[in-house]
Amino acid sequence: MAARAPAAVCSKDAAPLGSLVCSSCSAPTAGTNYFLGIDYENVQKLCNISGLQSRDNPQSTPEAHCEFLQQYRKIFIQPKPVLPKLPVFASIGLIKRPKRNGSDKVVENHLEKRYMDDIPRNLKEDVKTLSEILSKHPYYRTRSERLITYKILKLLPAINKRFADEELKDLSAKIIMESWEKSCIVYGYESFYLILRGCAKPYSLLGEPLRPIHPPPWLDPTLSMLSFGDSFGSLLPMMDNAGHKVLSVLTESNCQLIKVSTGQFENIKEEIIVRNFTMKEKVIQGCRNYQHWPKLSLSKLVQLIHWKKYPKDYVLVKEGEISSIVGFIKSGQCYIFKDIEGLEKLPLGQVKSEVKHIIMGKLSENHSFGEISILHRKPFTCTLITATEVELGVISERDILGLEEVYRMLIQQTSEPILVNLTQEEVNNRYISLEKEKQWKRFKNKVIKETILYRGIKPGVGKWNFNCSKKDNSKKNPSPSF
């Protein structure tokens, strides 16, 4: 006897076995499994499994039961998986134009030559170098190439007006260049473009609705052509400060465009903010008095600080005056001067009193000044003058006094005035030692000159004239006779 066939999936018993998939079950629904039909060959194989339950065999064997469960799903014909087709992208932004004849090529070459002449003579080599560097992927550009890119971009006025110096340094490592053929529309809704080579005509302006792909006949023909150094497009954060009103252009020749996207520019701004915050925090915490400050109090000072550069020999604070800033030295050195009244001998035995400035020490990196003078309203006991070019993290007097009482008390507890334990006697001794050192140098130089001139030796004259560079050159480049 043959084994019993498996039950039909469909609940409609009137349907024959060949039409187990009825009209109500044929359409696939979400979350349900469906099939196309029954494979009768596999049904026959399923019924011929030995050991299944039948009239002669009241109970199926475990082996037959396992084999039946493994082969059961094969009787249903499954639909073949349909893979998605590759979409056919329509070409956008290209304007259909007839085939060019010889005269069109001549006109195009003339236009390209004309707009290449728009590049200033002193920038032609720089533009060529910049084009070669930007043709590489940003990942493959070397450090020197990024520096060259930054220096060349600084020469372009449209770039300088749009980006700060620190932003331009980061952009020079990530900026890209795009090449566009003639009669293409370049949209700058979320990008900033600068024309490096070629020429283009304005197509839409800021604030206007989107126009169709093909330029309408009412487009103003008198709009000026954009060429080398002109920019268009819109970076969303800088809409208010945008100097250029052109939003998109129609290329009149093959163009090379420098591109900065809005997302790229936003990422760079966030990186600069994080980097500046970390640097300010590092400079403040580098000072000995602020090393153990809590993070919350430290971040309060970081929000108030800003960078400022001072040239050499600049007087930051004068003795006897209240400081107007709190300074954290990021780089450079400052002299600490102390004023003392001394006597100077004049001819005919006369003596004149004169105020002398004595160097009592130096302030360098990881030092701060001005906190006690502002909070306690105490004049400075010394004068601070920059010994080199100095970059300071500066907090103004108004911002310090505007802090909450808790932060002002914390600054007072941790800060120390400069030369707080210095006595007048130490200043006098320092002045005497410096004067003795000057007198000794004068006496030594006088004795040496008298000794040399006693034998008629005068450096730089006659046989005492010794040129080291000439001697070295003679060794490196011997004469042919030698």
Side-chain angles (χ1 to χ4, degrees):
M1 291 290 296
R4 286 181 296 178
V9 176
C10 181
S11 60
K12 295 186 178 182
D13 299 333
L17 190 60
S19 60
L20 282 176
V21 185
C22 63
S23 60
S24 62
C25 303
S26 60
T29 57
T32 60
N33 295 326
Y34 65 96
F35 56 94
L36 299 178
I38 298 294
D39 188 351
Y40 289 100
E41 292 184 3
N42 288 329
V43 170
Q44 191 66 29
K45 291 179 183 178
L46 201 65
C47 294
N48 293 334
I49 296 175
S50 60
L52 287 177
Q53 183 182 2
S54 62
R55 294 180 182 177
D56 299 333
N57 188 11
Q59 192 173 2
S60 299
T61 61
E63 293 80 7
H65 180 70
C66 290
E67 187 177 356
F68 181 86
L69 291 179
Q70 292 176 359
Q71 301 294 332
Y72 177 72
R73 292 184 178 276
K74 294 183 179 180
I75 69 172
F76 303 106
I77 301 175
Q78 301 293 337
K80 294 181 180 180
V82 180
L83 298 177
K85 295 181 180 180
L86 292 175
V88 180
F89 294 103
S91 59
I92 340 177
L94 293 177
I95 298 177
K96 295 181 180 179
R97 56 184 185 272
K99 294 182 180 180
R100 297 178 298 175
N101 52 26
S103 61
D104 293 338
K105 291 182 180 179
V106 171
V107 171
E108 183 178 345
N109 293 336
H110 173 71
L111 280 174
E112 289 185 2
K113 184 179 178 182
R114 174 188 169 188
Y115 288 105
M116 274 298 292
D117 292 340
D118 291 342
I119 302 176
R121 186 174 299 177
N122 59 330
L123 290 179
K124 284 189 176 181
E125 289 299 323
D126 292 333
V127 169
K128 185 178 179 182
T129 305
L130 183 62
S131 178
E132 292 175 357
I133 293 174
L134 295 184
S135 61
K136 300 180 182 179
H137 191 277
Y139 179 79
Y140 296 105
R141 296 174 197 162
T142 62
R143 185 182 181 88
S144 60
E145 288 176 340
R146 293 173 184 173
L147 182 60
I148 293 171
T149 303
Y150 164 73
K151 290 180 178 178
I152 297 176
L153 292 177
K154 286 285 289 180
L155 303 175
L156 304 177
I159 295 284
N160 278 327
K161 290 179 182 177
R162 189 61 68 95
F163 304 105
D165 187 68
E166 195 171 3
E167 294 168 349
L168 191 57
K169 285 180 181 177
D170 289 0
L171 280 173
S172 61
K174 300 178 181 179
I175 204 167
I176 61 172
M177 183 181 67
E178 293 182 351
S179 297
W180 291 81
E181 294 182 352
K182 182 183 177 182
S183 301
C184 292
I185 300 174
V186 186
Y187 294 99
Y189 295 106
E190 292 185 356
S191 299
F192 168 83
Y193 286 95
L194 181 132
I195 299 177
L196 196 62
R197 285 184 178 177
C199 57
K201 192 174 185 179
Y203 183 69
S204 66
L205 307 179
L206 286 173
E208 292 186 357
L210 297 181
R211 294 178 176 178
I213 292 177
H214 294 281
W218 43 265
L219 185 62
D220 187 2
T222 61
L223 288 175
S224 60
M225 195 76 71
L226 303 181
S227 58
F228 169 77
D230 294 325
S231 62
F232 64 93
S234 168
L235 291 173
L236 294 180
M238 305 189 70
M239 284 282 288
D240 297 334
N241 299 327
H244 213 293
K245 298 298 179 83
V246 178
L247 190 59
S248 61
V249 299
L250 173 66
T251 58
E252 293 292 326
S253 64
N254 295 337
C255 294
Q256 289 182 345
L257 308 178
I258 294 176
K259 178 184 177 182
V260 179
S261 64
T262 302
Q264 187 182 52
F265 181 64
E266 286 296 317
N267 291 337
I268 287 175
K269 287 178 66 177
E270 291 176 4
E271 290 174 5
I272 291 173
I273 291 172
V274 172
R275 188 166 63 240
N276 283 340
F277 186 90
T278 307
M279 179 59 69
K280 292 175 182 178
E281 193 178 47
K282 183 180 177 182
V283 169
I284 295 175
Q285 213 164 18
C287 300
R288 182 172 57 88
N289 299 329
Y290 296 88
Q291 286 178 354
H292 303 293
W293 268 45
K295 281 280 185 182
L296 182 62
S297 304
L298 205 63
S299 63
K300 196 72 176 178
L301 290 184
V302 169
Q303 295 172 7
L304 302 176
I305 199 172
H306 61 276
W307 302 119
K308 197 169 182 181
K309 289 185 178 181
Y310 295 91
K312 184 182 177 182
D313 298 330
Y314 186 87
V315 180
L316 297 173
V317 187
K318 288 184 179 181
E319 184 177 351
E321 295 181 356
I322 296 175
S323 178
S324 60
I325 60 170
V326 173
F328 300 88
I329 301 178
K330 180 184 177 184
S331 62
Q333 291 182 337
C334 299
Y335 284 129
I336 304 174
F337 284 92
K338 188 73 177 174
D339 295 341
I340 186 174
E341 190 174 354
L343 299 176
E344 185 179 358
K345 291 183 179 181
L346 296 175
L348 304 176
Q350 294 180 355
V351 179
K352 180 180 76 171
S353 64
E354 188 178 11
V355 177
K356 301 283 188 179
H357 303 290
I358 308 166
I359 299 177
M360 302 301 298
K362 283 184 180 181
L363 290 181
S364 56
E365 297 178 10
N366 302 330
H367 284 88
S368 63
F369 62 89
E371 304 96 324
I372 299 299
S373 176
I374 292 176
L375 293 177
H376 290 282
R377 311 308 295 172
K378 289 184 178 180
F380 246 73
T381 57
C382 58
T383 301
L384 291 183
I385 301 178
T386 57
T388 61
E389 185 178 339
V390 174
E391 186 173 5
L392 294 180
V394 174
I395 303 178
S396 66
E397 179 183 3
R398 180 181 177 182
D399 291 337
I400 285 290
L401 296 176
L403 285 171
E404 299 176 10
E405 184 67 25
V406 178
Y407 300 113
R408 294 204 303 269
M409 290 178 62
L410 187 58
I411 293 174
Q412 292 176 16
Q413 291 172 4
T414 55
S415 301
E416 296 177 355
I418 299 173
L419 304 180
V420 62
N421 298 322
L422 188 67
T423 62
Q424 188 62 36
E425 186 179 355
E426 292 175 346
V427 177
N428 295 338
N429 293 334
R430 173 73 172 167
Y431 172 68
I432 293 170
S433 64
L434 290 175
E435 287 298 318
K436 285 182 177 180
E437 187 176 350
K438 286 182 183 178
Q439 291 179 4
W440 165 245
K441 285 183 178 178
R442 289 195 206 103
F443 175 75
K444 184 173 63 174
N445 291 335
K446 182 181 178 182
V447 171
I448 291 174
K449 286 182 180 179
E450 289 178 352
T451 305
I452 292 177
L453 292 175
Y454 180 76
R455 291 291 184 181
I457 300 171
K458 192 174 182 180
V461 177
K463 64 180 181 180
W464 309 110
N465 187 7
F466 184 74
N467 192 344
C468 297
S469 60
K470 188 179 291 187
K471 184 177 179 181
D472 295 340
N473 291 335
S474 63
K475 287 184 178 180
K476 293 179 183 176
N477 303 318
S479 60
S481 61
F482 176 79

